[in-house]
Structures are given as C-alpha cells and as structure tokens.
Amino acid sequence: MKKLMSRVFHFLFYSCEKASFLIEKQLESELGFFENMRLRVHLFMCEDCLLYKSQSKLINKIISLLDVKKDVGTVATFTDEEKFILAARIQHEMDRPE
C-alpha cells in the first residue's frame, strides 16, 4: 500500500526542480493538459515556486524590453552596469504592491 501511495504522490505532485523547468518551458511554449494541471497543483501548494514563476516572468518581460539581439546559438551578455540596472529594476517591480 505504501508503494502504491508513493507512486500516486509522485505522479500527482512535481518536485520543485521539475516545476521550475516547466515554469520556464511555459514561458516559451504551451504545456500539455496534464503538465499544466500538475504544475498548477504544485504552485497552489508551493509559495517558493509561485514566487519563482512571478520573478521569471518579470525577468523575461524586462529582458524583452531591452531589445536584446537573440542570435541562434549565442548568449546575450551584459556589462556589470547593465546587470546592476537590471537587478534594480527587477527589485523595484517586485516591491510594487499588486
């Protein structure tokens, strides 16, 4: 019975690692029905992952506003000053009341 319950638990509930992967995936493409439902259940129970999701969405939004060139196979790099400005802007947005 314990083994069955363990299998059911692992089927129904994602780990935070899996949830964070799906949060990032969801920002780039649509999740399948079951992935979406299981992620929603996880986010309902996990405040840390819910915060991660809001931070990730905000970072993606701010980066997209910077008009960073995304050449295939390259990585955008930022100067220390740009990193500081990005961090300050993200913190400002996170501190705003909803």
Side-chain angles (χ1 to χ4, degrees):
M1 183 68 166
K2 256 187 169 180
K3 194 171 188 175
L4 176 63
M5 291 302 290
S6 176
R7 293 180 91 184
V8 169
F9 181 82
H10 287 292
F11 175 76
L12 292 177
F13 304 106
Y14 283 135
S15 66
C16 290
E17 182 179 4
K18 179 71 172 181
S20 63
F21 170 79
L22 290 174
I23 288 167
E24 296 301 326
K25 180 180 174 184
Q26 190 176 48
L27 293 172
E28 299 297 324
S29 63
E30 194 170 318
L31 298 179
F33 177 78
F34 289 109
E35 280 181 325
N36 188 43
M37 294 310 296
R38 289 169 66 189
L39 179 59
R40 290 178 69 181
V41 167
H42 183 92
L43 293 174
F44 179 75
M45 298 184 321
C46 184
E47 291 181 22
D48 292 336
C49 286
L50 192 59
L51 177 62
Y52 177 82
K53 181 178 181 178
S54 66
Q55 290 172 337
S56 187
K57 284 173 65 175
L58 178 61
I59 290 167
N60 279 1
K61 177 183 171 188
I62 291 172
I63 296 280
S64 70
L65 294 175
L66 294 175
D67 192 32
V68 175
K69 302 290 185 241
K70 292 184 178 179
D71 295 328
V72 176
T74 62
V75 176
T77 57
F78 299 98
T79 65
D80 287 340
E81 182 182 357
E82 290 170 326
K83 291 176 190 175
F84 179 80
I85 291 168
L86 279 172
R89 187 164 178 187
I90 290 166
Q91 188 62 52
H92 173 74
E93 290 292 324
M94 293 301 294
D95 290 341
R96 284 184 19 192
E98 292 182 38

